[in-house]
Amino acid sequence: GRADIIRMSSLKSWRGVSYDWCRFQRMQLDSLSVGGGHPFSGWWDRFHETNPDFFALQPDGSRGGGETPYPSARTVKLCKSNPAVWAQWLKDVEAALEHNPNKLTFDCSANDGGYNGYCVCTNCQAWDHPDGQLVNHGWKGLNMEYVAMSDRQITFANTLARMLKERFPDKELYVSGQAYGHSRPPPVAAVPDDNVIFSLVANLHNRPPGNHREQLQDWGRAVPNLGWRPNLGHGAGWSLGFPNIAPRRVMEDMRFAADNKVIVIFFDTVWEHWANQGPHYYMLAQMAWNPYADGEAILADYYLRAFGPAVKNMTDYWTLIDDVSEDILFNGKPAEKAWDADFYRRAYNYLDRAAAEVASAPEVYGQRIAFVRAGLDYLRLYYENKALITLLKKSDFKDAEALAVARANWQQIVRILEARPPAFNPLYISATSSNSRALAVNPDHQKAKEEEKASVVQPGME
C-alpha cells in the first residue's frame, strides 16, 4: 500500500484556530510542504516598470496587458520561457533559503485566473503540445480555443528544478506547481522531474463523480509524484456554514488518492464552521495521515469520546446529516427540499434525547450537544429567512408580517453567532462583517440593498 507515502500530507487554513488545530492533528507536522497559492501574484508590483519582459506577451503586442495588467495585477501571467524570469525566481529562492535554511519546496504555480492572459510568444508556445486538450482561453478583447497549459507548466517547472539542483547540489530541494485551470487536463508528453511535484486542483471531494476524478487518475498515470489540492468551497456548501458533510466519503476519497500516486494533500480550505462540519474535518485529518486506516472505527471513536453517554443518539444525528448531505451533494436534491420539516423533526429529536442522556454526566458533554444544536438552529433559521426574503422582495418589503418574522429569525441568528464564536468562522458567518455570508438572510440588509439598487439612475432615465 501507499500509506507510508501519505506522511507528506497537509491540511491548510489561514484563519482562526484551525492552524493550531491542524498542527495538533499532525496535519502541519509533515515532512514535505507544498504551496497552495500563487507565488507570482506580487511580481507585477515588483517588476512591471523595470522588467516588463517578465510578463506574458498578449495578442495585442503588450506585455501583461500594458498599463492595465490583464486580467489584474495579481493574476497577470508570466513569460515562462524567458531566462530572466528563471534567474529572478532562483534569486528569490536563494533569499528564502537564507531566511529559512530548512525550507524544502519552492512554488512556481501560475497566478490565479487560470483561464486568462497566458503568453503567446513563440518560445512559450513551443512548450505546448499540439495534441493537448483544447480549452477556451481569454485575452483582453479576445476569446479562442487553444491547447491546455499542462505541458508548458511542467516544462517550466522542470527548467527551474534543474537550475535549483545545479545551484544547490548538496540539498534535496523540490519545485512545486499546481495543475489548475487550463493546466488541469493531463499532460500529453511532458513528465515532471523527480524533484518536481504537481498538485492537481481536482474538486472530486464532496462532489458528484465527474471528470475531476478521471483527471486525477490520468495525472497519476502520467507523473511520478502527485499532489492533490481540492477546494472545499461553494460547490460543497461549506463556506455558508451548512452541514453538507459526508465523513464516510472521506474514507473512499483518501484511498482513491493514495492509489493514484498522491503523496501530498493540501485541502483548501478548513472553513472553521465547527458546529456543522466538525466530524468531516476530523476525518480529513485522520484519513490523510493513514488512508488505509479503519475509517469506521475512527468515526465511532470520535463520536464516543465527543458525546459519551449520548453516543448512540449523536451518532444517529450525524448519520442523518450524512444521509441528507448525500442527497444534496450526489443525488442533486435541492437543499430546501432536503432540509425539510421531517428532517428537522428527526434531528431535534436525536438532540433532545442526547441532552437528556447527559443530564447527570460531566458538563462538557451537554456543552458539546448544545454546540451542535446551535449549528442546526442556524441551518433552520437561514433557510426560513431565505424563503421569507424571496417573498419580501416580491412585495418590495411591504409585507409587514413576513418582515417581522424574518427580523425575529435574524435576531436569533445573531444570538447564536455571538453566544458561540467557535461554532462558525466570524470572517464568513457573522452579523456585522461585510464579507459575511449570513447577511444574505438579514432582511434589513437585503432591504437596504434593494433600495440602493432602485436609487441608481439608469441610462436614459435622467
Side-chain angles (χ1 to χ4, degrees):
R2 297 185 60 83
D4 60 318
I5 302 300
I6 302 296
R7 67 188 185 277
M8 299 176 183
S9 59
S10 179
L11 179 66
K12 186 73 172 180
S13 177
W14 297 270
R15 303 169 175 89
V17 302
S18 69
Y19 179 77
D20 292 336
W21 179 83
C22 287
R23 289 183 65 82
F24 183 78
Q25 296 297 337
R26 302 173 297 186
M27 302 302 293
Q28 296 294 334
L29 300 176
D30 40 51
S31 59
L32 185 64
S33 177
V34 298
H38 307 280
F40 300 111
S41 60
W43 273 40
W44 180 264
D45 291 339
R46 292 174 64 190
F47 302 119
H48 79 275
E49 292 182 352
T50 58
N51 301 89
D53 60 305
F54 282 7
F55 300 98
L57 179 67
Q58 301 297 292
D60 65 5
S62 68
R63 284 286 177 174
E67 292 184 6
T68 304
Y70 182 81
S72 70
R74 289 184 57 80
T75 59
V76 67
K77 304 305 186 292
L78 300 182
C79 179
K80 293 194 169 181
S81 63
N82 183 350
V85 168
W86 315 339
Q88 182 60 53
W89 179 88
L90 187 60
K91 187 175 180 180
D92 287 353
V93 167
E94 292 169 345
L97 280 170
E98 186 173 345
H99 175 72
N100 177 11
N102 296 317
K103 188 173 177 61
L104 294 178
T105 58
F106 302 90
D107 201 1
C108 74
S109 301
N111 281 342
D112 212 348
Y115 302 91
N116 299 297
Y118 288 100
C119 190
V120 298
C121 81
T122 303
N123 290 336
C124 280
Q125 290 189 326
W127 286 357
D128 302 326
H129 199 285
D131 296 331
Q133 180 179 322
L134 289 176
V135 289
N136 189 55
H137 285 258
W139 294 272
K140 191 181 295 184
L142 175 66
N143 284 279
M144 61 176 285
E145 282 197 333
Y146 184 69
V147 296
M149 294 286 106
S150 312
D151 286 75
R152 180 187 300 196
Q153 304 289 24
I154 290 174
T155 304
F156 178 59
N158 285 349
T159 301
L160 301 181
R162 292 162 192 172
M163 293 176 64
L164 187 66
K165 187 176 289 187
E166 182 178 348
R167 174 64 180 83
F168 300 101
D170 298 328
K171 288 180 175 287
E172 185 179 348
L173 303 177
Y174 293 84
V175 172
S176 63
Q178 291 184 68
Y180 170 69
H182 278 1
S183 58
R184 210 177 64 196
V188 178
V191 178
D193 287 0
D194 289 342
N195 61 333
V196 171
I197 300 173
F198 265 80
S199 294
L200 178 63
V201 183
N203 295 320
L204 60 95
H205 186 60
N206 267 30
R207 303 290 205 285
N211 71 325
H212 287 229
R213 198 173 188 86
E214 295 169 2
Q215 284 175 344
L216 193 144
Q217 287 180 308
D218 290 340
W219 271 87
R221 286 190 284 263
V223 304
N225 300 313
L226 182 62
W228 180 34
R229 183 200 171 278
N231 294 299
L232 298 180
H234 302 286
W238 280 41
S239 64
L240 289 162
F242 300 156
N244 290 353
I245 65 169
R248 288 183 170 82
R249 288 271 176 178
V250 177
M251 308 172 200
E252 176 186 341
D253 287 349
M254 288 297 184
R255 288 165 188 160
F256 178 80
D259 288 340
N260 284 280
K261 294 186 181 176
V262 169
I263 66 167
V264 178
I265 297 175
F266 188 114
F267 274 86
D268 184 12
T269 304
V270 178
W271 288 93
E272 298 198 44
H273 302 315
W274 299 93
N276 278 333
Q277 297 168 6
H280 201 107
Y281 298 160
Y282 186 78
M283 289 302 293
L284 286 176
Q286 297 302 310
M287 296 304 294
W289 186 256
N290 179 1
Y292 297 108
D294 185 341
E296 292 292 345
I298 291 171
L299 195 57
D301 177 67
Y302 172 86
Y303 292 141
L304 177 62
R305 289 188 294 117
F307 304 112
V311 60
K312 174 63 168 63
N313 278 298
M314 292 307 294
T315 299
D316 289 344
Y317 171 83
W318 286 113
T319 300
L320 173 63
I321 293 286
D322 197 333
D323 291 343
V324 176
S325 295
E326 283 272 329
D327 278 344
I328 296 170
L329 297 170
F330 299 98
N331 300 326
K333 189 171 185 178
E336 288 85 350
K337 293 183 178 180
W339 309 118
D340 59 8
D342 181 63
F343 161 76
Y344 289 115
R345 178 189 60 78
R346 295 171 64 193
Y348 279 115
N349 186 40
Y350 287 134
L351 294 181
D352 289 342
R353 288 190 292 186
E357 288 174 326
V358 300
S360 58
E363 185 180 358
V364 65
Y365 295 120
Q367 291 174 342
R368 289 171 180 167
I369 293 167
F371 187 80
V372 172
R373 183 186 291 271
L376 183 62
D377 289 342
Y378 166 77
L379 178 73
R380 174 179 55 81
L381 292 164
Y382 187 100
Y383 275 106
E384 284 182 12
N385 265 25
K386 185 178 179 182
L388 285 167
I389 285 172
T390 299
L391 293 175
L392 285 166
K393 286 181 177 180
K394 291 179 180 178
S395 70
D396 291 329
F397 288 83
K398 293 176 182 177
D399 185 333
E401 183 178 351
L403 185 58
V405 175
R407 281 173 170 163
N409 284 350
W410 175 250
Q411 288 307 310
Q412 289 187 64
I413 289 175
V414 171
R415 286 193 289 272
I416 290 169
L417 299 177
E418 291 178 345
R420 300 183 183 278
F424 299 98
N425 185 342
L427 282 175
Y428 290 95
I429 304 294
S430 77
T432 57
S433 169
S434 61
N435 196 37
S436 177
R437 273 66 166 172
L439 292 177
V441 293
N442 176 351
D444 292 309
H445 179 78
Q446 295 303 316
K447 181 174 182 287
K449 284 179 64 176
E450 291 296 311
E451 290 173 347
E452 181 182 0
K453 187 191 305 181
S455 69
V456 176
V457 177
Q458 300 297 325
M461 295 177 60
E462 294 88 343

